Amino acid sequence: MDASIDLAYLIPYSKMNYQAIIKSIQCDQFKEVTNKGKWLEDNATVYAKEIGQNIFLVFITVKNIETESIRAMIGHFDDFNSIGSKEPKQIMFYLSIKNKEDLHYFDKYLKVPEI
């Protein structure tokens, strides 16, 4: 896994850049997961990447007329297919991403191309 991230491109002026983050997630081997469970909002989009045996880095995005939000977690799931349907067996880390400083926790898991 590539351990590089350049937050200057991702969130200029410390303001959340929702579209840049989504584009970065999609470009970095994250797979979109079908949200068919009851543990997330109906309009949530889920992206996951395995970082250990049945340990996944998961981004949950919600975009509607009123808000845009991104949450991230590291969790233990039964397998990849259970992410969109079942709650994790264990949540090891959970974060609501609101600004540039929040993203430094994921430096070693995200590679952000120049945007």
Side-chain angles (χ1 to χ4, degrees), residues 18-62:
Y18 182 87
Q19 291 302 324
I21 293 172
I22 300 305
K23 184 176 179 181
S24 298
I25 291 168
Q26 292 170 336
C27 291
D28 194 32
Q29 301 175 355
F30 282 83
K31 296 179 184 172
E32 189 169 339
V33 176
T34 303
N35 179 19
K36 54 189 173 210
K38 295 183 180 180
W39 70 285
L40 297 170
E41 301 92 332
D42 288 338
N43 61 341
T45 303
V46 182
Y47 301 93
K49 179 179 179 178
E50 190 168 21
I51 58 174
Q53 186 173 356
N54 293 329
I55 307 296
F56 295 87
L57 174 56
V58 178
F59 285 90
I60 303 155
T61 65
V62 177

Side-chain angles (χ1 to χ4, degrees), residues 1 10 19-20 24 37 49 57 59 79 91 103 113-114:
M1 285 175 225
L10 190 59
Q19 291 302 324
S24 298
K49 179 179 179 178
L57 174 56
F59 285 90
D79 55 30
I91 295 176
L103 284 171
E114 290 190 21

Side-chain angles (χ1 to χ4, degrees), residues 3-113:
S4 64
I5 186 169
D6 188 345
L7 295 175
Y9 290 110
L10 190 59
I11 305 177
Y13 313 112
S14 295
K15 184 178 178 189
M16 186 71 150
N17 188 337
Y18 182 87
Q19 291 302 324
I21 293 172
I22 300 305
K23 184 176 179 181
S24 298
I25 291 168
Q26 292 170 336
C27 291
D28 194 32
Q29 301 175 355
F30 282 83
K31 296 179 184 172
E32 189 169 339
V33 176
T34 303
N35 179 19
K36 54 189 173 210
K38 295 183 180 180
W39 70 285
L40 297 170
E41 301 92 332
D42 288 338
N43 61 341
T45 303
V46 182
Y47 301 93
K49 179 179 179 178
E50 190 168 21
I51 58 174
Q53 186 173 356
N54 293 329
I55 307 296
F56 295 87
L57 174 56
V58 178
F59 285 90
I60 303 155
T61 65
V62 177
K63 184 174 182 176
N64 56 40
I65 296 170
E66 300 162 4
T67 62
E68 294 177 338
S69 71
I70 299 176
R71 299 182 310 252
M73 78 165 68
I74 296 175
H76 179 212
F77 291 86
D78 291 330
D79 55 30
F80 184 84
N81 294 324
S82 69
I83 295 171
S85 58
K86 295 165 84 177
E87 291 187 38
K89 290 180 171 185
Q90 178 183 17
I91 295 176
M92 297 158 185
F93 188 83
Y94 183 87
L95 179 67
S96 177
I97 300 172
K98 296 183 190 306
N99 59 45
K100 164 178 159 171
E101 289 75 27
D102 293 338
L103 284 171
H104 78 273
Y105 295 106
F106 295 104
D107 285 353
K108 69 181 192 173
Y109 298 114
L110 268 180
K111 177 185 174 194
V112 179

